[in-house]
Amino acid sequence: MMIEALQFEFMRNAIIAGCFASLICGVIGTFVVVNRLVFLAGGIAHAAYGGIGIAFFFGIPYMLGTLGFSLLAAMVMTAVVLKSKHRADTFIGIIWAVGMAMGIILLDKTPGYNVNLMSYLFGSILAVPNSDIWWMLGLSVITLFSASFLYRDLLAISYDDEFAKLRGVPVNLIYFLFIGLIAVSIVIIIRVVGLILVIALLTIPPYIAEKYSRSLAMMMALSTMLAVFFNITGLWLAYAYNLTSGATIILVAAAGFFLSMGLDFLLRKSRTDYQNL
Amino acid sequence: MNHPIIDVSGLSFSYNGTPVLSDVSFRIHEKEFVALIGPNGGGKTTLIKLLIGLLKPRQGHVQIMGKTPGQVAGQIGYVPQDLNINKSFPISVMDVVLMGRLPFSRWTGLSKKDTAAAISALESMNMLDLRDRKIDDLSGGQRERAFIARALATDPKILFLDEPTANIDSRGRSELFGILKELNKTKTIIVVSHDTMVLSSYVTAVACVNRSVHYHDNAEITEEMLEMGYHCPVDIIAHGLPHRILKTHGNE
């Protein structure tokens, strides 16, 4: 069945795009999850819609508008996170909502253009153009390079940022750089798989992987593998039963999430049972 | 005992307009073992962070070996409060200790020297056989020793510890203080702790921190110190051997 589906270029592209998205989200999502930046990632992903509005309304190129705007939003959010941690969630919430509303009004006021909000939310992984595959390939290379180049710094910042600062690691600079990378990744991947799937891929695989990992690198590798598995399984199910692909992938990932929680529960139970013998 | 290793003068600090420390001055000499005591919220952690350069003073200055804390970062070992650290984080003991060797060259990564230093720090804490364990799987006492090993990875002259015994049972506590006493042979030690009883036989000086700092480097216990210390019945530390004094404050 899957083999048959593979004859179609759109299916091959969907799988390739899914694998790249899994790799990028596996690496970046690990950083997002251990640093508890999920809300910030969600904020960037939604505020990016404002960038789409700006791009179409003012007639500037799509990538320039969305990347520029979400980078700006991400930098503001990072500054707030670094400056006043306890207020950060409130400000992120505001930027989240305002960006989204701006996008909708600007698109309403753009003559002759009608962007489907649903496609922003759930993407169109079955209609990935070749150009987007190249974007994702480039982004994968940048992500892997930055994560390995800055691995020890990222590890120290994520584990204990004060200690990292004390040891002379440029904590704030690296924070800005990496959150910038998160913003760029989110914008490029949203085009392919949609906002909801980006959030799912950034959170579910790293969360499962964290429990079984001894290091950040292992967590990144394990999340990537899990995400690839969810993507391919989801695509196959969507093809076989004629379902919306993005949503199917998310539900497969959710099933994996509950399975791992159940497994954990049983493991812990059997361990305590054993101890009580 | 000529030049002080730490020289604090006229130091003041406030968070968002609320003064935490005001006009603090004291000197610590080499190889002293100083206990910082005082009520929670009295500014002990803030004082430590000012001493190591994580916070910048609003007024006054901190000098370590005649320089600013930032200039002598390699000579400063820091063991933060355990509870501020994410416990489920996927990291091995070895990787935590290696953090003490930061920053690494981003092109060549860890050097043999870094690994060797981390291993000998782990060895000195009797933790070498646990180096591949996930930090999450350690007991409170083992985790604390891993953090001390991280602080020792650069072989610092001064060691700062912020409530190192908060999550440790009483046997582990005296064990830990035994380790600190051993380290004190070569290093100056500044420790925040509520374990005044156990500490009393180790320390050479006591600083009572509560907005202001009263520094005692002799056996004398003054009324001030009692007033300053806590607002509850308390064990007071004396210099050298314990002279235990219990005093109940009337106001609480």
Side-chain angles (χ1 to χ4, degrees):
Chain A
M1 188 102 179
M2 198 71 196
I3 307 293
E4 174 200 311
L6 282 176
Q7 312 167 39
F8 303 110
E9 194 190 1
F10 74 84
M11 206 60 192
R12 288 198 299 272
N13 278 0
I15 288 175
I16 296 169
C19 288
F20 280 138
S22 300
L23 173 68
I24 298 162
C25 289
V27 173
I28 300 234
T30 293
F31 188 73
V32 167
V33 166
V34 296
N35 281 288
R36 314 210 170 126
L37 294 174
V38 175
F39 196 65
L40 184 138
I44 296 173
H46 284 83
Y49 199 67
I52 296 180
I54 290 175
F56 281 112
F57 187 77
F58 295 103
I60 47 181
Y62 177 90
M63 277 298 184
L64 191 71
T66 47
L67 280 180
F69 186 77
S70 38
L71 269 175
L72 183 76
M75 293 303 115
V76 173
M77 289 180 195
T78 315
V80 179
V81 169
L82 291 174
K83 195 96 185 117
S84 61
K85 261 199 171 115
H86 305 290
R87 277 271 157 247
D89 59 341
T90 309
F91 282 98
I92 291 170
I94 294 169
I95 299 172
W96 175 316
V98 171
M100 199 91 201
M102 237 173 79
I104 286 170
I105 298 284
L106 285 174
L107 287 172
D108 279 352
K109 292 291 165 198
T110 305
Y113 203 88
N114 210 344
V115 172
N116 187 354
L117 189 59
M118 274 307 275
S119 92
Y120 184 72
L121 291 180
F122 282 99
S124 39
I125 196 169
L126 292 179
V128 184
N130 283 327
S131 64
D132 278 1
I133 301 261
W134 289 110
W135 273 101
M136 292 181 89
L137 174 67
L139 184 61
S140 300
V141 172
I142 294 173
T143 306
L144 279 181
F145 175 76
S146 338
S148 50
F149 191 64
L150 296 173
Y151 182 73
R152 289 276 162 193
D153 304 80
L154 289 173
L155 180 65
I157 291 172
S158 308
Y159 185 64
D160 185 352
D161 59 339
E162 271 193 340
F163 193 86
K165 211 174 270 174
L166 193 65
R167 299 293 324 142
V169 174
V171 172
N172 289 0
L173 178 71
I174 292 180
Y175 223 81
F176 273 108
L177 273 178
F178 221 75
I179 292 182
L181 184 61
I182 294 176
V184 172
S185 311
I186 288 176
V187 167
I188 292 179
I189 300 176
I190 279 181
R191 237 173 102 84
V192 180
V193 300
L195 185 155
I196 311 286
L197 185 51
V198 167
I199 302 291
L201 288 180
L202 282 175
T203 50
I204 297 176
Y207 177 80
I208 300 174
E210 187 181 41
K211 287 180 286 190
Y212 309 106
S213 301
R214 289 174 169 279
S215 68
L216 270 196
M218 188 171 162
M219 184 171 162
M220 289 172 181
L222 207 58
S223 341
T224 302
M225 286 189 277
L226 282 167
V228 167
F229 174 75
F230 295 149
N231 259 294
I232 293 181
T233 313
L235 276 172
W236 172 66
L237 285 174
Y239 180 81
Y241 298 100
N242 196 23
L243 304 166
T244 306
S245 49
T248 313
I249 296 171
I250 294 167
L251 289 183
V252 170
F257 172 76
F258 286 115
L259 209 68
S260 113
M261 294 233 320
L263 209 72
D264 244 41
F265 175 75
L266 288 177
L267 275 174
R268 220 172 313 132
K269 196 171 175 311
S270 74
R271 209 175 297 157
T272 36
D273 284 354
Y274 179 73
Q275 277 163 3
N276 291 340
L277 276 180
Chain B
M1 285 292 230
N2 31 24
H3 288 294
I5 194 164
I6 298 174
D7 189 349
V8 177
S9 68
L11 183 69
S12 295
F13 190 82
S14 52
Y15 278 116
N16 305 322
T18 315
V20 183
L21 292 169
S22 53
D23 197 22
V24 171
S25 301
F26 59 86
R27 289 169 162 196
I28 297 176
H29 291 278
E30 221 182 325
K31 288 182 196 159
E32 283 206 74
F33 192 135
V34 184
L36 301 185
I37 63 166
N40 289 331
K44 301 185 298 289
T45 298
T46 305
L47 178 61
I48 282 214
K49 286 184 178 171
L50 284 161
L51 293 180
I52 62 180
L54 269 179
L55 294 173
K56 299 277 170 276
R58 295 284 179 272
Q59 271 165 23
H61 73 258
V62 174
Q63 284 200 319
I64 294 193
M65 292 175 271
K67 294 180 175 153
T68 66
Q71 288 170 323
V72 289
Q75 303 295 338
I76 296 174
Y78 174 47
V79 182
Q81 265 181 62
D82 191 17
L83 58 131
N84 294 332
I85 289 171
N86 177 0
K87 290 212 173 53
S88 67
F89 199 96
I91 189 168
S92 68
V93 173
M94 184 66 178
D95 277 344
V96 169
V97 176
L98 278 169
M99 242 171 242
R101 300 288 301 178
L102 279 166
F104 306 115
S105 151
R106 297 195 177 87
W107 296 104
T108 54
L110 291 176
S111 70
K112 276 191 185 139
K113 225 173 123 191
D114 293 324
T115 319
I119 285 177
S120 83
L122 277 167
E123 230 163 10
S124 71
M125 287 292 110
N126 252 326
M127 288 284 291
L128 194 57
D129 48 334
L130 298 175
R131 66 176 174 171
D132 292 324
R133 286 275 199 94
K134 210 166 149 176
I135 195 95
D136 190 27
D137 298 336
L138 302 184
S139 71
Q142 290 168 333
R143 201 161 44 237
E144 207 55 50
R145 278 189 279 154
F147 291 148
I148 296 176
R150 175 176 75 164
L152 292 177
T154 49
D155 195 21
K157 282 223 164 61
I158 315 171
L159 194 57
F160 295 87
L161 304 98
D162 197 350
E163 296 203 25
T165 51
N167 292 320
I168 305 180
D169 57 31
S170 54
R171 208 195 65 173
R173 282 176 194 205
S174 34
E175 224 175 85
L176 191 89
F177 284 121
I179 291 171
L180 293 186
K181 191 178 187 182
E182 194 59 34
L183 290 170
N184 188 219
K185 286 178 182 162
T186 55
K187 297 174 200 311
T188 309
I189 290 182
I190 290 113
V191 59
V192 172
S193 182
H194 293 292
D195 293 314
T196 46
M197 268 297 288
V198 195
L199 269 176
S200 55
S201 51
Y202 300 130
V203 295
T204 61
V206 176
C208 301
V209 187
N210 191 6
R211 277 277 300 272
S212 54
V213 172
H214 287 229
Y215 193 85
H216 309 269
D217 51 7
N218 51 39
E220 203 180 328
I221 297 174
T222 63
E223 267 304 306
E224 269 174 352
M225 186 172 172
L226 295 169
E227 296 286 329
M228 279 279 314
Y230 297 81
H231 295 289
C232 55
V234 67
D235 307 331
I236 294 297
I237 305 166
H239 182 74
L241 286 167
H243 306 269
R244 211 176 144 207
I245 300 171
L246 274 164
K247 169 153 177 164
T248 309
H249 293 277
N251 53 353
E252 251 171 270

